[in-house]
Amino acid sequence: MIVEKVIGNVESIQNKPKHTERVFLESDALRKRIQRVKTDHGNEIGIRLKENKDLMDGDILYMDEKNMIVVQTIDDDILTITPTSVGQMGNIAHQLGNRHLPAQFEGDEMLVQYDYLVEELLAEQGIPFRREKRKVKQAFRHIGHSHE
């Protein structure tokens, strides 16, 4: 089977089929438009997305009345940063931006992929953080630009 488009996301559908197969992907694989994957039931699937859009946790690759195949992300090794003030947030955002480190935000938390140098920086700056395994809904993406 070759999947060329995402049908929807499990969070937005009401009538879910009884049987669900899952494709487990690391967050980096969510950015790949072409890949070969295997479901948790051993079925091989080719993904060749026509749209230039990242996959997301919960995306439905296939669905009929009885079955569906859903993307499920694997927990990432991340640093969850919880600044206690706007000053701390501005400081760490500036420093991480200078390193071109992609970040995501969930509520008041800033999420970055684990990096021992960032861990040391946070500890030196006294900015609250914790290292954890956590599922992210979308891939960490670098924003391209150049210094001119």
Side-chain angles (χ1 to χ4, degrees), residues 81-99 105 108 110 121-122 125 127-128:
I81 305 167
T82 53
T84 57
S85 69
V86 173
Q88 272 190 346
M89 175 56 88
N91 179 32
I92 196 60
H94 176 74
Q95 293 197 41
L96 296 179
N98 279 341
R99 296 170 189 231
F105 297 87
D108 292 336
M110 175 187 257
L121 173 67
L122 292 165
Q125 299 285 321
I127 298 173

Side-chain angles (χ1 to χ4, degrees), residues 12-110:
S12 62
I13 64 165
Q14 294 177 0
N15 298 328
K16 296 176 185 168
K18 291 185 178 188
H19 183 261
T20 301
E21 289 186 54
R22 289 178 173 66
V23 172
F24 293 97
L25 297 177
E26 294 179 347
S27 65
D28 288 346
L30 296 174
R31 294 191 318 251
K32 296 179 182 175
R33 288 184 31 232
I34 299 172
Q35 58 186 309
R36 184 175 301 271
V37 297
K38 207 174 252 191
T39 71
D40 58 349
H41 288 70
N43 295 315
E44 198 168 279
I45 297 173
I47 299 174
R48 185 177 57 215
L49 299 177
K50 290 184 177 184
E51 286 186 64
N52 189 13
K53 181 181 166 239
D54 292 347
L55 290 168
M56 293 181 65
D57 185 60
D59 277 350
I60 302 168
L61 302 176
Y62 170 83
M63 184 168 71
D64 62 21
E65 305 80 38
K66 298 178 186 177
N67 303 303
M68 74 177 168
I69 301 173
V70 177
V71 171
Q72 186 168 341
T73 55
I74 299 170
D75 291 351
D76 277 298
D77 188 9
I78 65 168
L79 293 170
T80 301
I81 305 167
T82 53
T84 57
S85 69
V86 173
Q88 272 190 346
M89 175 56 88
N91 179 32
I92 196 60
H94 176 74
Q95 293 197 41
L96 296 179
N98 279 341
R99 296 170 189 231
H100 302 277
L101 192 67
Q104 296 182 24
F105 297 87
E106 289 185 12
D108 292 336
E109 298 176 329
M110 175 187 257

Side-chain angles (χ1 to χ4, degrees), residues 113-130:
Q113 290 176 309
Y114 176 77
D115 180 301
Y116 75 94
L117 293 172
V118 173
E119 185 178 41
E120 288 176 3
L121 173 67
L122 292 165
E124 287 172 8
Q125 299 285 321
I127 298 173
F129 72 94
R130 64 187 176 277

